[in-house]
Amino acid sequence: MGCDGGTIPKRHELVKGPKKVEKVDKNAALAARWKYCALSTEKLRRPIVTCDLGRLYNKDAVIEFLLDKSADRPNSEVVSHLRGIKDIKELNLTDNPAWEGERRNTKGDRYEDMHCAMFICPVVGLEMNGKHRFCFLRTCGCVFSDRALKEVKTEICHKCGDPFKEEDLVVLNGTKEEVEKLREIMEEKRAKAKATKKSKKSKFSETVSKPSESKAVPGPSGSSSSSKVVKPLAESGSLAESGSKRSIQSMEEKSETYKSLFTSHSSAKRTKAQTSNWVTHTPYHF
């Protein structure tokens, strides 16, 4: 069978050997991490958020995951450390003026440079395509290249002017070692937050559970002063009763003075002696 027309087959066409392992292009993998969402694997679009581990997500994809965690998602392990909306930070990115997006290659007849990034560093101008190391600030969410932070050393953000510390810097899309370090820092912060919450709750419960009972103090004769405490209580009760009576009397007096303003009150009515007869005047007296 085959070999018609004088064709000579080669060995690799007849004998099937072991399949070669497909190698992933490192540059393409790096570009994909900076252009696609780590959760939904869709193209990154504003608003873009990140977590304590420095991964990039679309905000709507993270919100959908937090609303329905039971849904089977392909990359749910990537966001397993996210508990709520407070665990993510929206990034303040700087657009790249040289990036034209998909509008340039709508027909597919042009060369598309995968190293051309959507965003750049606002200080140095390096593209955020995976070739250079980038960091973001936890305080304001601004993104800068590591080179800019090393060349211009300040404690104020270059873009918005908010103060920050070295602890607020988080590497974006770091290596495995950097991600492990960031995970340890995240776990330590969460443990400290839990400890502070527990201490606050314990203090509040202690203040509430303290009884307001008065303890009996022994007098000079050795007998307790409980009998002495009863008398002032009785006196205070009698004083309270007298005060309530006085308040009732004062209220009645106020109501009487208010009623006296109207003509329907008894004080406004006249007696028969005070009333006068009606006198009619007619001009026909002559």
Side-chain angles (χ1 to χ4, degrees), residues 128-144:
M128 202 169 70
N129 54 9
K131 288 185 176 181
H132 309 282
R133 190 182 179 191
F134 275 76
C135 304
F136 81 95
L137 303 178
R138 288 177 180 169
T139 53
C140 57
C142 296
V143 181
F144 303 97

Side-chain angles (χ1 to χ4, degrees), residues 141-263:
C142 296
V143 181
F144 303 97
S145 63
D146 192 23
R147 186 187 297 180
L149 295 172
K150 287 180 179 178
E151 290 180 358
V152 186
K153 294 183 178 180
T154 58
E155 296 180 353
I156 299 173
C157 178
H158 299 292
K159 194 171 183 180
C160 62
D162 291 343
F164 69 93
K165 299 179 182 178
E166 292 184 359
E167 299 174 354
D168 299 328
L169 291 171
V170 182
V171 182
L172 291 172
N173 286 332
T175 59
K176 291 182 179 179
E177 296 177 355
E178 291 172 345
V179 171
E180 288 177 0
K181 289 181 181 178
L182 291 172
R183 192 182 293 276
E184 291 177 358
I185 293 168
M186 178 186 68
E187 290 176 356
E188 288 179 0
K189 285 185 176 181
R190 290 182 178 180
K192 287 180 181 178
K194 285 183 180 180
T196 52
K197 283 183 180 179
K198 286 182 180 179
S199 63
K200 287 180 180 179
K201 286 182 180 179
S202 61
K203 287 180 181 178
F204 181 74
S205 61
E206 286 177 0
T207 54
V208 171
S209 62
K210 279 183 180 179
S212 59
E213 297 176 355
S214 61
K215 296 181 181 179
V217 181
S221 61
S223 61
S224 62
S225 61
S226 60
S227 60
K228 295 180 181 179
V229 174
V230 172
K231 290 182 180 179
L233 288 172
E235 291 176 359
S236 63
S238 62
L239 290 171
E241 289 178 359
S242 61
S244 62
K245 289 179 180 179
R246 289 176 183 175
S247 63
I248 291 166
Q249 290 177 358
S250 63
M251 289 293 290
E252 289 178 354
E253 291 175 358
K254 289 179 180 179
S255 63
E256 287 293 330
T257 53
Y258 179 72
K259 289 177 182 178
S260 63
L261 297 174
F262 300 96
T263 56

